[in-house]
């Protein structure tokens, strides 16, 4: 294994993704869930940049990464709107309270 | 080896901040640590010479998203939930580790990337060659904003006969104001007359 | 440069959506809430014109493409089929929803999003670039969140919407990782170029699996389906029809397009897809059987039907000839019509029995008892849809399942025979939950809920009747639509470039 900037960055991607998914599984607070999702998205952005850099396609990967940042910000905004509205209607941010739909 | 040092440092900062974001007690602290993750990632992206992405990540990821999160926390309020997690921690950790093992097996000696060590630096033109992506982004933003407005909208009565409805609403308000005034002026209105006043008012808007 | 006809199919709804919103928003002061519905129908009408022209062009030249600034959109059989289903359901849902959401606030947003989601799905079918597929897909997802949580003051629909959003967003991040791997391995994102740059190996395999899991969340592959029954049962019925009839299928199309270049080099994708299909069928059937609410039952049955499509498509991935995919894609079209009809008919009954009198209760299966005596047409349409979903002979559902059976049997592979036998058994088993509903509808003694129900408005019944006629017609003359499914199947095979 060669230690290079790219491999170090790749380890960061793996670590962040693992942390993010772990967070998604254990977190109960809705807003915190959204933060965990953001962490995974940031890892994905970094991954795309690494992929482009390693392949000499930096231009392509930059454009892709910018689009991802913008789109996932919009997703986070809609998710936050959901969290606020759920807090208003049900008085809680606990994901476990959202269990009336079953079966 | 020495030129790797900044990368190591940034990597450690990113992971440390991410762990703090996960483990922070309050939502606000979590949001701030998330901003730190974002800023550190922006630095790393900059060092990988993807300057435009770094700028956007810093301004949107670290700036805008943090502001939105803090705003949302302000509106929704913090709620300490330190009880048992949704999925038991051990199971979640094991699951994630298993996934990581599979992934690292697939990309085993990091042959994912043709590592030459060096980092290419060449300029690029903003969104060059990705015009359709840019247009679909506009669609996403439109839907997202409409979704935000739609989800947060206060419940309001629909207007089937709109002009008449508005007139009725205005008349209602005026009547309510008159009612309040009439409540204030007589010094001792007995409770019975109040009760007769209130049921009258909804009948007006028919 | 002159844009080909199919571009207008995408541009008109996408430009029309903000217009519908503006017209609805400013016009409701003068003409009331119904103005946004008429505006939406007008936009759909204009899109139909573009569709007919695109179909005419496609009958002469099967593929058309449009390049702009280094990226291109292309029309082939699959995109045409997806566009047809999306547009058809969109039109019916818009004309159905008028009475259904009367009295709700924010109708202009509902119709604007409905128009936008149709445009986005047509665009998704035409994308030729791995990342472009992702962004169309994400646009579709963002558009559907509001539609699912349209009743944004009810706790249950917010719950369904949030679950849907989180699962769908987590899935789409996985797709991003897959795109990263493909980019690092091949240096390109254009589907046609990936195929030529391809080197088989563990990373590409991982990319394929990530695509399967990521898009699989949206197309409800079995362990990842948990959002679906909630979202489909809590959305307004028109939107349930839309989600079930085309949105999950659009996820399937995105999946197919993304893994086709990878599957071209690896043979095991066929068996993998067939296994997923079998899991979906069995899981969906067992869960649907246990339901007591009509809309949840229909939602689980969508999972089963995705399974049938996957088996058909998997046969094509395995044998590399188009017969299985023709069956699978024909089933995609039929499922759009049948499930659309079933959800709209259930929605009409839900409206008259519950919503119109102001309660938000779900429609239970037991509520339907004796429904045919008061609502003969709606009950007939619901029964037709259910029988067609079960795959009984004179209806459309039978024809497409038959094509899938035929493709499996023609292979001569004994393992595939077992698969086909399982498909047939599942199809028979599904009668176990469809037939009691039909039986209940035609019972003599009406239930209390039916007796208290309101009369059914004509604007709701008309789309139901037209869709039922279409299902019968497709069951008797499947060749009517054969040219479209044939070219779609060929397009999928062409996606491999053997």
């Amino acid at each position: 294994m060669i230690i290079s900037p790219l491999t170090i960055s790749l380890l960061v991607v793996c670590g962040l993704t693992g942390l993010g998914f772990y967070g998604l599984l254990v977190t109960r607070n809705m807003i915190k869930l959204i933060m965990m999702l953001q962490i995974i998205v940031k890892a994905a952005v970094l991954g795309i940049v690494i992929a482009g850099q390693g392949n000499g396609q930096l231009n392509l990967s930059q454009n892709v990464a910018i689009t991802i940042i913008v789109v996932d910000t919009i997703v986070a905004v809609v998710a936050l709107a959901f969290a606020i509205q759920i807090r208003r209607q049900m008085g809680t941010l606990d994901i476990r309270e959202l269990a009336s739909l079953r079966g | 080896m020495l030129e790797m040092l900044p990368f190591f440092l940034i990597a450690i900062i990113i992971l440390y901040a991410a762990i703090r974001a996960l483990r922070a007690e309050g939502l606000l602290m979590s949001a701030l640590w998330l901003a730190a993750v974002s800023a550190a990632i922006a630095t790393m992206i900059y060092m990988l010479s993807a300057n435009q992405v770094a700028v956007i990540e810093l301004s949107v990821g670290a700036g805008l998203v943090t502001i939105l999160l803090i705003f949302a926390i302000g509106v929704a309020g913090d709620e300490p939930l330190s009880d048992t997690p949704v999925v038991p921690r051990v199971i979640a950790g094991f699951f994630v580790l298993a996934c990581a093992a599979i992934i690292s097996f697939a990309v085993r000696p990091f042959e994912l990337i043709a590592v030459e060590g060096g980092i290419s630096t060449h300029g690029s033109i903003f969104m060059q060659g990705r015009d359709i992506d840019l247009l679909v982004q506009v669609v996403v933003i439109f839907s997202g904003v409409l979704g935000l407005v739609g989800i947060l909208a206060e419940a309001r009565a629909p207007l089937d006969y709109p002009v008449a409805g508005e007139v009725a609403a205005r008349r209602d308000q005026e009547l309510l104001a008159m009612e309040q005034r009439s409540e204030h002026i007589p010094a001792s209105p007995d409770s019975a007359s109040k009760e007769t006043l209130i049921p009258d008012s909804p009948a007006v808007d028919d | 440069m002159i844009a080909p006809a199919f571009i207008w199919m995408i541009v008109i709804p996408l430009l029309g959506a903000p217009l519908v919103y503006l017209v609805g928003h400013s016009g409701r002061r003068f003409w009331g809430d119904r103005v946004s519905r008429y505006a939406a129908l007008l936009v759909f009408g204009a899109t139909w014109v573009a569709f007919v022209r695109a179909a005419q062009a496609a009958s002469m030249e099967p593929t058309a493409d449009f390049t702009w600034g280094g990226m291109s959109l292309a029309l082939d059989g699959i995109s045409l089929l997806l566009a047809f289903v999306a547009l058809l359901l969109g039109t019916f849902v818009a004309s159905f929803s008028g009475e259904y959401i009367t009295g709700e606030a924010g109708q202009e947003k509902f119709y604007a999003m409905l128009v936008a989601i149709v445009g986005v799905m047509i665009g998704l079918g035409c994308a030729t670039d791995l990342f472009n597929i992702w962004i169309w897909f994400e646009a579709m997802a963002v558009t559907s969140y509001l539609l699912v949580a349209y009743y944004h003051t009810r706790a249950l629909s917010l719950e369904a919407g949030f679950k849907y959003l989180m699962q769908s967003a987590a899935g789409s991040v996985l797709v991003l990782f897959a795109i990263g791997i493909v980019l690092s391995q091949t240096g390109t994102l254009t589907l046609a170029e990936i195929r030529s740059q391809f080197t088989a190996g563990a990373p590409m395999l991982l990319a394929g699996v990530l695509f399967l899991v990521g898009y699989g969340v949206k197309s409800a592959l079995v362990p990842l389906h948990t959002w679906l029954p909630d979202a489909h049962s809590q959305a307004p019925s028109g939107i349930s029809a839309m989600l079930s009839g085309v949105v999950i299928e659009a996820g399937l199309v995105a999946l197919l397009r993304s893994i086709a270049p990878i599957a071209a080099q690896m043979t095991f994708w066929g068996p993998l897809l067939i296994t997923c299909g079998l899991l979906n069928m069995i899981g969906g059937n067992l869960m649907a059987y246990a339901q007591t609410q009509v809309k949840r039952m229909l939602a689980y049955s969508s999972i089963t039907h995705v399974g049938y499509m996957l088996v058909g498509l998997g046969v094509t991935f395995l044998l590399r000839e188009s017969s299985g995919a023709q069956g699978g894609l024909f089933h995609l079209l039929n499922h759009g019509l049948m499930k659309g009809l079933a959800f709209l008919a259930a929605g009409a009954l839900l409206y008259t029995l519950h919503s119109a009198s102001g309660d938000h209760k779900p429609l239970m299966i037991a509520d339907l008892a004796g429904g045919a005596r008061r609502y003969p047409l709606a009950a007939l349409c619901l029964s037709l849809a259910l029988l067609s979903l079960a795959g009984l002979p004179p209806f459309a559902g039978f024809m497409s399942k038959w094509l899938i059976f035929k493709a499996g049997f023609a292979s001569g592979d004994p393992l595939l025979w077992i698969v086909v036998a399982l498909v047939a058994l599942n199809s028979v088993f599904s009668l176990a939950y469809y037939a009691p509903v039909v039986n209940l509808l035609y019972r003599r003694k009406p239930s209390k809920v039916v007796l208290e129900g309101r009369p059914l408005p004509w604007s709701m019944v008309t789309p139901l009747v037209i869709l039922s006629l279409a299902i019968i017609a497709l069951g008797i003359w499947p060749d009517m639509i054969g040219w479209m499914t044939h070219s779609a199947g060929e397009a999928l095979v062409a996606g491999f470039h053997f």
Side-chain angles (χ1 to χ4, degrees):
Chain A
M1 182 173 143
I2 320 152
I3 302 283
S4 80
L6 292 183
T7 46
I8 297 171
S9 318
L10 204 63
L11 285 177
V12 172
V13 173
C14 292
L16 276 186
T17 316
L19 267 174
F21 273 106
Y22 175 78
L24 274 187
L25 288 175
V26 299
T27 308
R28 287 172 55 192
N29 190 310
M30 265 179 261
I31 294 184
K32 204 158 175 179
L33 276 178
I34 298 165
M35 291 181 200
M36 293 302 127
L37 202 62
Q38 279 290 309
I39 287 187
I40 309 176
V41 170
K42 284 176 205 312
V45 170
L46 188 57
I48 295 270
V49 169
I50 296 169
Q53 180 62 265
N55 217 314
Q57 295 284 339
L58 191 60
N59 199 352
L60 177 62
S61 74
Q62 286 217 50
N63 295 335
V64 167
I66 290 171
T67 311
I68 295 172
I69 295 174
V70 172
V71 169
D72 270 298
T73 305
I74 293 292
V75 172
V77 166
V78 177
L80 284 174
F82 266 111
I84 291 175
Q85 187 71 10
I86 288 174
R87 169 78 188 197
R88 271 193 203 158
Q89 299 292 328
M90 303 163 75
T92 179
L93 283 174
D94 191 346
I95 192 79
R96 287 207 305 192
E97 301 285 317
L98 298 186
S100 18
L101 294 172
R102 276 172 191 280
Chain B
M1 214 43 212
L2 201 62
E3 73 272 12
M4 300 299 154
L5 201 61
F7 274 95
F8 267 121
L9 281 180
I10 290 288
I12 289 167
I13 291 173
I14 292 174
L15 292 177
Y16 176 72
I19 292 172
R20 290 299 297 264
L22 175 63
R23 300 189 60 89
E25 285 293 313
L27 280 182
L28 207 58
M29 283 317 286
S30 223
L32 292 178
W33 279 113
L34 185 69
V37 173
S38 191
I41 284 188
T43 317
M44 183 169 250
I45 290 175
Y46 184 81
M47 293 195 308
L48 289 169
S49 80
N51 308 350
Q52 295 167 356
V53 184
V55 170
I56 300 273
E57 172 66 36
L58 198 63
S59 55
V60 176
L64 183 63
V65 171
T66 311
I67 291 171
L68 286 171
L69 278 171
I70 291 176
F71 170 75
I73 294 167
V75 174
D78 200 346
E79 190 181 338
L81 302 170
S82 51
D83 255 340
T84 46
V86 181
V87 178
R89 286 211 170 81
V90 182
I91 297 177
F94 181 75
F95 175 77
V96 169
L97 276 183
C99 291
I102 294 170
I103 291 174
S104 54
F105 176 74
V107 293
R108 220 162 347 177
F110 292 99
E111 68 192 352
L112 179 66
I113 285 150
V115 184
E116 299 294 322
I119 286 180
S120 65
T121 47
H122 48 77
S124 72
I125 301 158
F126 186 65
M127 293 313 272
Q128 182 198 31
R130 308 290 299 179
D131 305 71
I132 298 176
D133 279 357
L134 200 61
L135 289 186
V136 189
Q137 266 184 55
V138 177
V139 178
V140 175
I141 292 173
F142 166 74
S143 320
V145 170
L146 214 57
L148 177 75
V149 175
I151 291 165
L152 288 182
E154 299 286 342
R156 59 174 173 172
L159 300 175
D160 244 348
Y161 300 99
V163 181
E166 268 179 30
V167 171
R170 206 178 306 138
R171 206 177 46 188
D172 264 4
Q173 276 182 351
E174 281 165 14
L175 275 172
L176 203 72
M178 278 168 68
E179 221 172 81
Q180 282 169 350
R181 256 177 279 146
S182 62
E183 269 177 54
H184 278 293
I185 293 165
S188 59
D190 53 348
S191 56
S193 73
K194 237 187 214 167
E195 272 172 21
T196 51
L197 258 177
I198 292 163
D200 276 354
S201 51
V204 178
D205 60 2
D206 285 338
Chain C
M1 153 164 214
I2 298 162
F6 80 92
I7 286 299
W8 294 108
M9 225 158 63
I10 304 169
V11 170
I12 291 173
L14 290 186
L15 286 183
L19 285 181
V20 169
Y21 179 69
L22 287 179
V23 168
H25 195 75
S26 52
R28 72 196 283 271
R29 291 173 60 88
F30 306 108
W31 299 298
D33 273 329
R34 58 187 76 86
V35 61
S36 38
R37 173 160 152 250
Y38 292 132
L41 283 173
L42 205 66
V43 174
F44 282 136
T47 317
W48 274 112
V49 175
F51 175 81
V52 169
R53 297 199 47 172
Q56 274 171 350
S59 64
M60 284 180 275
E61 181 75 41
T63 57
D65 61 0
F66 172 74
T67 308
W68 188 49
M71 291 180 73
S72 58
L73 295 172
L75 184 82
D76 61 8
I78 299 179
S79 3
L80 199 66
L81 187 76
L82 189 65
F84 178 68
V85 184
L87 204 49
L88 194 73
L89 273 183
T91 316
F92 278 115
V93 168
S95 47
F96 170 87
S97 295
E99 297 286 332
Y100 192 84
I101 61 169
T102 302
E104 295 291 336
Q107 295 188 16
E108 68 276 7
K109 292 181 206 111
F110 178 90
Y111 288 110
M113 292 303 223
L114 187 61
V115 171
I117 202 169
V118 169
V120 167
M121 274 187 285
I122 298 174
L124 172 66
C126 296
T128 60
D129 178 295
L130 214 49
F131 185 67
N132 202 223
I133 292 177
W134 180 83
I135 178 164
W136 284 111
F137 181 79
E138 201 60 15
M140 178 178 90
V142 170
T143 314
S144 59
Y145 299 146
L146 174 66
L147 291 175
V148 167
Y150 177 67
Y151 300 122
H152 62 270
T153 48
R154 297 187 199 163
L156 287 183
S157 64
L158 282 173
E159 174 186 340
F162 190 75
K163 280 182 185 170
Y164 175 43
L165 189 152
M166 287 317 282
Q167 297 200 13
S168 164
S172 73
V173 177
L174 291 181
V175 174
L176 285 180
F177 285 115
I179 290 175
I181 295 175
V182 172
L183 179 62
S184 72
Q185 292 289 304
T186 64
T188 178
L189 291 176
T190 316
L191 292 176
E193 285 175 26
I194 291 171
R195 217 169 283 126
S196 56
Q197 299 280 327
F198 191 89
T199 45
M204 284 307 254
L205 182 65
L206 179 67
V209 171
L210 286 175
F211 276 129
L212 187 70
V213 176
Y215 286 128
V217 172
K218 201 47 157 280
S219 43
L221 301 189
V222 144
L224 312 165
H225 68 279
T226 49
W227 60 273
L228 183 138
D230 300 347
H232 289 204
S233 60
Q234 293 306 314
S237 294
I239 296 309
S240 313
M242 201 74 196
L243 286 174
S244 203
V246 287
V247 172
I248 55 177
E249 281 81 355
L252 204 60
V253 168
L255 173 65
L256 286 181
R257 292 255 198 230
S258 306
I259 64 173
I262 299 174
Q265 307 275 338
M266 297 182 189
T267 43
F268 90 106
W269 283 97
L272 186 62
L273 284 187
I274 292 176
T275 315
C276 288
L278 287 176
L279 262 180
N280 257 38
M281 266 186 265
I282 296 166
N285 265 338
L286 289 178
M287 288 179 285
Y289 183 67
Q291 299 306 312
T292 53
Q293 295 177 18
V294 178
K295 281 176 78 176
R296 280 186 92 83
M297 189 264 277
L298 290 176
Y300 277 115
S301 108
S302 297
I303 298 178
T304 312
H305 283 268
V306 169
Y308 296 130
M309 291 170 218
L310 275 174
V311 169
L313 296 166
V315 169
T316 287
F317 274 74
L318 186 66
L319 303 177
R320 323 227 141 174
E321 59 179 29
S322 73
S323 59
Q326 283 180 34
L329 293 167
F330 188 30
H331 198 66
L332 191 154
L333 170 73
N334 285 342
H335 179 251
L337 298 180
M338 299 183 296
K339 197 47 74 64
L341 174 62
F343 265 118
L344 292 186
L349 291 170
L350 171 65
Y351 172 77
T352 52
L353 298 181
H354 288 299
S355 315
S357 37
D359 64 7
H360 301 325
K361 279 187 226 147
L363 183 68
M364 310 304 281
I365 292 177
D367 291 347
L368 292 176
R373 299 186 77 82
R374 270 208 76 185
Y375 310 108
L377 269 178
L380 182 67
C381 294
L382 183 56
S383 319
L384 282 184
L386 292 179
L387 294 178
S388 176
L389 282 169
L392 289 190
F395 305 116
F398 170 75
M399 286 316 298
S400 46
K401 282 183 189 172
W402 177 246
L403 281 182
I404 298 174
F405 296 152
K406 220 169 66 175
F409 268 116
S411 68
D413 183 344
L415 268 177
L416 269 185
W417 289 354
I418 297 175
V419 168
V420 167
L422 276 173
V423 173
L425 275 179
N426 268 291
S427 188
V428 173
F429 177 73
S430 66
L431 265 176
Y433 52 91
Y434 293 131
V437 178
V438 177
N439 187 15
L440 209 59
L441 274 170
Y442 285 93
R443 200 167 270 180
R444 274 174 192 283
K445 205 165 145 265
S447 71
K448 190 165 155 280
V449 186
V450 168
L451 286 175
E452 287 168 357
R454 307 274 181 101
L456 198 57
W458 274 104
S459 66
M460 276 187 176
V461 180
T462 322
L464 301 185
V465 173
I466 298 173
L467 271 174
S468 321
L469 291 179
I471 286 175
I472 298 172
L474 270 183
I476 298 172
W477 302 287
D479 292 341
M480 209 163 55
I481 211 77
W483 60 275
M484 207 189 266
T485 53
H486 181 77
S487 76
E490 293 297 332
L492 184 66
V493 173
F496 298 135
H497 271 274
F498 299 124

